[in-house]
Coordinates of all heavy atoms in Angstrom, one line a residue:
Chain C
D249 N 253.1 178.9 128.8 CA 252.5 178.0 129.7 C 253.5 177.1 130.3 O 254.1 176.2 129.7 CB 251.5 177.1 128.9 CG 251.0 175.9 129.6 OD1 250.7 176.1 130.8 OD2 251.0 174.8 129.0
Q269 N 263.4 169.7 137.8 CA 262.1 169.9 137.1 C 262.1 171.4 136.5 O 261.5 171.6 135.5 CB 261.0 169.7 138.0 CG 260.7 168.3 138.3 CD 259.8 168.1 139.5 OE1 258.9 169.0 139.7 NE2 260.0 167.1 140.3
F297 N 271.1 207.5 124.0 CA 272.4 206.9 124.2 C 272.8 206.9 125.6 O 273.3 206.0 126.2 CB 273.4 207.6 123.3 CG 274.8 207.0 123.4 CD1 275.0 205.8 122.7 CD2 275.8 207.6 124.1 CE1 276.3 205.2 122.8 CE2 277.0 207.1 124.1 CZ 277.3 205.9 123.5
Y320 N 266.8 197.8 143.2 CA 266.1 199.0 143.7 C 267.0 200.2 143.3 O 268.1 200.4 143.7 CB 266.0 198.9 145.2 CG 265.4 200.1 145.9 CD1 264.2 200.6 145.5 CD2 266.1 200.8 146.9 CE1 263.6 201.7 146.1 CE2 265.5 201.9 147.6 CZ 264.3 202.3 147.2 OH 263.7 203.4 147.8

Side-chain angles (χ1 to χ4, degrees):
Chain C
D249 168 42
Q269 285 165 33
F297 183 74
Y320 178 53

